[in-house]
Amino acid sequence: RRMFPTFQVKIFGMDPMADYMLLMDFVPVDDKRYRQVAFLSRRYAFHSSSWLVAGKADPATPGRVHYHPDSPAKGAQWMKQIVSFDKLKLTNNLLDDNGHIILNSMHRYQPRFHVVYVDPRKDSEKYAEENFKTFVFEETRFTAVTAYQNHRITQLKIASNPFAKGFRDCDPEDWPRNHRPGALPLMSAFARSRNPVSSPAHQNGTEKDAAESRREFEREAGGTALHQAEAAHQQLM
């Protein structure tokens, strides 16, 4: 899966005409495996907003590096905008052959960001230690999780992660304006007036009751709002 939130950086101080490569790797924060205890599960639990140590860490995964797909590029290009590692993917599959970053589930990791100067000199290997800089931001530490046991966390991720659109019933940004949440109370009321289950016309079997309930709804909602709601209802149908 793509890592979310996406790791993004703003870079300063590069030579605008020199070439640089940007890359990332991940190192364990400690030698522990974590768990959550608020749920009836042996694998995960969450308690008092803190992770609990579950034991010794699993054997280390193969160390891999993710190169930003635009590497190498001139310093001027890297500095002109925010650099986003939105193509970076994580996996817990030890047999992965796609070059993704392999992590152990329920372990804590620290992402590291590396800037490598592409030295044009023929004997550049002599200066290898001078040609790169590593940056560590502690606020980017995270716990790798394969499956969330808390359904509220799952829903939050589906709602917030741009790569989870396929799991949503619909995307609020794609709704027409008269379908957006502000119009929902009116839409709900109008839908109930048209609902075969709750409509007086279907309960009593008379068109008179249907007409009376329509006039009552129109008095409450106002004619203009009613027409907008009916148009929206027809569009939904």
Side-chain angles (χ1 to χ4, degrees):
R1 301 289 179 85
R2 294 192 185 190
M3 187 174 74
F4 179 83
T6 303
F7 186 92
Q8 296 178 318
V9 291
K10 179 69 175 175
I11 306 174
F12 303 93
M14 286 181 165
D15 180 346
M17 300 308 296
D19 288 318
Y20 297 87
M21 300 184 71
L22 305 186
L23 51 141
M24 287 186 65
D25 69 351
F26 296 77
V27 293
V29 172
D30 50 36
D31 60 351
K32 299 177 177 62
R33 177 166 44 88
Y34 291 83
R35 66 188 178 97
Q36 305 167 337
V37 294
F39 303 95
L40 298 177
S41 169
R42 289 176 296 176
R43 297 177 60 196
Y44 309 103
F46 197 75
H47 179 68
S48 300
S49 299
S50 62
W51 293 87
L52 302 183
V53 176
K56 199 75 173 172
D58 295 334
T61 56
R64 288 184 173 178
V65 173
H66 173 81
Y67 287 84
H68 192 284
D70 293 341
S71 296
K74 299 293 184 185
Q77 178 179 334
W78 293 125
M79 292 189 293
K80 72 179 181 181
Q81 59 193 6
I82 292 176
V83 178
S84 178
F85 283 81
D86 55 356
K87 303 295 185 184
L88 192 158
K89 290 188 176 183
L90 309 175
T91 182
N92 65 347
N93 178 14
L94 296 176
L95 302 179
D96 175 80
D97 58 358
N98 296 308
H100 303 327
I101 300 294
I102 302 176
L103 304 179
N104 281 323
S105 294
M106 309 310 290
H107 290 61
R108 298 190 68 199
Y109 289 94
Q110 172 67 66
R112 298 191 304 182
F113 172 61
H114 310 277
V115 178
V116 180
Y117 168 64
V118 181
D119 197 331
R121 292 175 289 188
K122 292 182 178 179
D123 55 350
S124 59
E125 65 276 1
K126 295 181 181 179
Y127 311 98
E129 295 184 1
E130 304 174 8
N131 288 337
F132 78 94
K133 179 73 175 177
T134 297
F135 300 89
V136 174
F137 304 99
E138 292 188 3
E139 64 270 26
T140 62
R141 290 182 178 182
F142 67 95
T143 303
V145 179
T146 303
Y148 294 104
Q149 299 300 304
N150 186 336
H151 71 279
R152 296 179 66 188
I153 295 295
T154 302
Q155 292 304 316
L156 179 64
K157 184 170 181 179
I158 289 174
S160 304
N161 190 342
F163 307 115
K165 287 185 177 180
F167 294 95
R168 300 175 195 161
D169 293 332
C170 56
D171 190 340
E173 292 302 318
D174 296 335
W175 297 351
R177 288 194 174 277
N178 54 356
H179 294 182
R180 293 191 179 185
L184 285 180
L186 177 61
M187 287 295 297
S188 299
F190 185 68
R192 283 196 298 272
S193 73
R194 299 288 294 270
N195 191 323
V197 176
S198 60
S199 171
H202 287 272
Q203 290 175 358
N204 301 327
T206 64
E207 293 184 2
K208 182 179 179 180
D209 290 337
E212 177 61 31
S213 82
R214 185 179 181 86
R215 284 194 297 272
E216 185 176 309
F217 176 81
E218 189 168 7
R219 284 195 299 271
E220 293 176 359
T224 303
L226 175 64
H227 294 151
Q228 291 176 348
E230 183 168 15
H233 179 78
Q234 293 297 332
Q235 190 172 359
L236 282 174
M237 293 294 290

